[in-house]
Amino acid sequence: MEKGSQWIDQKVQELCGLSKTIWEYAEVGLREEKSAAALAGYLEKEGFSIQKGVGNMPTAFVASFGQGKPILGFLGEYDSLAGLSQKTVPTREEVVPGGAGHGCGHNLLGVGSLASAVALKKEIEGGRLKGTVRFYGCPAEETLIGKVFMAKAGVFNDLDAAITWHPWVVNGVWGGQHLAMNSVRFAFYGRTAHAAAAPHMGISALDAVELMNIGVNFLREHVIQEARLHYVITNGGGQPNVVPAEAEVWYYMRAPHRHQLEEIYPRILKIAEGASLMTGARLEIKFQVGCYDYLPNRVVSEVVLDSFRKTGAPKFSEEDFVFAKSLEQSFTPGQKLSVLGASNIPPEYGEMTLHTDVAPFYDWGKTLPGSTDVGDVSWITPTAQLTAATFVMGTAAHSWQATAASGMGIGQKAMVAAAKAMALAGYELMSKPDLLKRAKEEFRKNTGGKPYVSPLPPEMDKPQMQL
Ligand SMILES: [Zn+2]
């Protein structure tokens, strides 16, 4: 693996530059044209073959190098977040007022995974490693779209394992489970009438929305404690003296495991149908997106963690610490401990400003109260997620503080550390058949050997909208 890691060392400037370019593009989900082109272009120059537009998304692609088995995939993301434009300074200053920014560090995520893929390519090219390495260009993670539609298109099916990472406050490996989720809009259609003069002539679509919500609120008591059902009324009619002919409510439904959600979701559909029957308003179900819970593979996760220990945590400069200390001043009182607590990170980490070590597993078997489309990949192939300290300790995800760190030395040094660790882990997995065999045995045990079934309705083969 020497040549591969040497390549990363030689290209540090170039890789950091690429991550900065994507940070500047700050393109939101499904609009990442320039970011996807920059990553795909880089890989093409390195000799990867590129398949564009996978999953019916113009900004999704698969880059492949090598031949035959084993096939190892690195997952990359590059979408930004609306409203999080921020300069690389430790106080709130936007680049573009109200603009988008990389408040989840996906500019680093894409380039870090790309660097690992190219490092392994150097090994394959030099005849020191056999098999195929892939980089998956996954758009629109923030809206849980990219990998779900790519998975439905079958692009992960022949993988032997997948490795990805996420910018975070700790150097380590995520073992926690994210939640399975469905996002669905329920639209009701009735008939307008004068609300005072002829209410008997009207059919209120808003009544149907309200009755549906009442039904779901009663259902709450009879679903598992860990389920989450939340909604917003996106259309409640125009004005009180017109019976609303159209109304819509948008639900997120979540549970720790996909099979639990599959049990709850049909009951919600029945409630929606009931509201339609009660009011006479026609119901239209607009499925937006759904995803699996994350199933971490212990064997692959251990390989990634061991590799990270060998390649080492990022080495931050004096300047980085000065920046971090100053940025910390912007945290709200109690923020550090609350961010760490919500992410199952031991409270003693709160005494640090930047994490400079590699943490042991700290959240294995625990639940992380969010959702990610890496979940779908993890039910198709053994998967692990590294995290690297690209952010100042206590930074909330999706914040301007995260955007700031993602565009400067702190984020970039952690990205390079992540790339080296993932490259070594990939090398280990591809060169030691026994590791992949054990990873697959564990995977079969955890999935019960059942094939992945897309959470999307059968006829849905491309994203309907941006959330
Ligand atoms: Zn993210």
Side-chain angles (χ1 to χ4, degrees):
M1 193 51 217
E2 220 171 288
K3 288 277 184 315
S5 30
Q6 273 171 13
W7 178 84
I8 296 180
D9 284 332
Q10 285 159 8
K11 297 288 177 175
V12 164
Q13 287 301 103
E14 195 174 293
L15 294 166
C16 293
L18 183 57
S19 80
K20 188 63 188 263
T21 301
I22 293 171
W23 184 88
E24 282 162 1
Y25 291 155
E27 297 167 299
V28 296
L30 297 182
R31 296 199 190 133
E32 317 95 328
E33 286 96 6
K34 287 188 281 184
S35 309
L39 294 166
Y42 194 100
L43 289 158
E44 202 165 14
K45 271 201 202 114
E46 282 292 337
F48 281 71
S49 63
I50 315 282
Q51 190 192 349
K52 286 185 181 156
V54 296
N56 291 319
M57 295 172 290
T59 53
F61 67 94
V62 182
S64 214
F65 188 91
Q67 271 185 337
K69 288 268 189 181
I71 310 175
L72 186 85
F74 292 101
L75 313 179
E77 299 165 12
Y78 30 82
D79 55 330
S80 69
L81 287 159
L84 289 180
S85 175
Q86 166 68 25
K87 293 181 184 169
T88 52
V89 293
T91 50
R92 182 67 170 132
E93 262 185 69
E94 293 166 295
V95 179
V96 180
H102 273 289
C104 205
H106 292 186
N107 62 308
L108 304 167
L109 207 173
V111 177
S113 293
L114 169 144
S116 308
V118 178
L120 285 196
K121 174 237 154 175
K122 300 289 171 191
E123 297 296 321
I124 295 173
E125 201 173 38
R128 295 177 296 276
L129 190 63
K130 281 198 170 55
T132 306
V133 62
R134 291 214 189 116
F135 173 89
Y136 287 88
C138 310
E141 189 281 332
E142 297 295 354
T143 43
L144 301 173
I145 283 176
K147 296 179 202 72
V148 179
F149 284 88
M150 292 169 82
K152 196 172 190 207
V155 298
F156 303 111
N157 288 355
D158 59 352
L159 282 180
D160 288 289
I163 299 177
T164 189
W165 75 292
H166 204 286
W168 192 219
V169 297
V170 171
N171 303 301
V173 171
W174 262 336
Q177 289 170 337
H178 291 74
L179 306 174
M181 182 180 130
N182 278 356
S183 161
V184 184
R185 290 170 184 263
F186 297 88
F188 292 92
Y189 301 93
R191 192 166 59 221
T192 55
H194 192 294
H200 56 286
M201 302 292 288
I203 294 175
S204 170
L206 178 60
D207 287 358
V209 162
E210 291 195 78
L211 288 165
M212 176 178 174
N213 292 345
I214 289 167
V216 172
N217 289 333
F218 272 88
L219 175 71
R220 253 176 235 289
E221 199 187 2
H222 306 287
V223 296
I224 51 167
Q225 195 80 13
E226 299 78 15
R228 292 284 180 273
L229 307 168
H230 23 258
Y231 59 80
V232 287
I233 296 175
T234 46
N235 179 8
Q239 58 189 71
N241 62 349
V242 180
V243 173
E246 290 183 19
E248 187 190 74
V249 59
W250 182 12
Y251 272 81
Y252 278 11
M253 298 150 254
R254 306 188 207 234
H257 299 292
R258 187 78 215 162
H259 67 87
Q260 295 165 330
L261 189 56
E262 295 291 354
E263 190 266 327
I264 295 165
Y265 182 53
R267 295 163 76 187
I268 291 173
L269 292 182
K270 282 259 179 291
I271 290 170
E273 285 161 18
S276 166
L277 273 176
M278 282 188 279
T279 54
R282 183 172 61 83
L283 166 67
E284 199 182 316
I285 296 161
K286 300 174 179 173
F287 197 94
Q288 304 297 299
V289 79
C291 70
Y292 272 64
D293 45 300
Y294 173 57
L295 174 66
N297 186 279
R298 182 77 186 198
V299 174
V300 180
S301 297
E302 277 174 7
V303 173
V304 172
L305 188 59
D306 285 347
S307 303
F308 207 172
R309 286 204 182 104
K310 283 178 194 144
T311 54
K315 290 194 173 52
F316 298 111
S317 66
E318 208 39 56
E319 208 180 305
D320 295 333
F321 276 98
V322 171
F323 183 95
K325 280 265 174 234
S326 165
L327 186 124
E328 253 183 356
Q329 306 304 313
S330 68
F331 291 172
T332 50
Q335 174 173 329
K336 251 187 166 178
L337 282 180
S338 130
V339 165
L340 301 188
S343 316
N344 305 308
I345 300 169
E348 56 270 26
Y349 281 65
E351 286 153 32
M352 305 171 190
T353 304
L354 289 168
H355 189 215
T356 54
D357 207 346
V358 175
F361 287 116
Y362 58 87
D363 66 345
W364 201 269
K366 294 183 182 162
T367 299
L368 278 167
S371 302
T372 169
D373 63 5
V374 175
D376 288 64
V377 181
S378 75
W379 283 85
I380 298 172
T381 191
T383 303
Q385 290 191 86
L386 175 148
T387 66
T390 59
F391 307 146
V392 177
M393 188 63 74
T395 299
H398 298 189
S399 63
W400 66 260
Q401 289 93 339
T403 309
S406 300
M408 48 81 69
I410 296 173
Q412 291 165 356
K413 288 185 185 80
M415 173 189 82
V416 172
K420 284 187 179 177
M422 291 192 297
L424 178 59
Y427 182 85
E428 292 287 298
L429 287 167
M430 286 179 80
S431 59
K432 294 180 179 157
D434 182 54
L435 287 176
L436 280 180
K437 193 167 152 259
R438 285 202 290 122
K440 284 182 190 172
E441 277 164 12
E442 180 195 330
F443 178 79
R444 263 192 297 274
K445 204 172 122 241
N446 286 340
T447 57
K450 287 196 211 92
Y452 166 82
V453 177
S454 172
L456 304 171
E459 68 284 0
M460 191 177 187
D461 61 358
K462 62 169 180 289
Q464 297 298 298
M465 54 159 290
Q466 291 218 50
L467 300 185

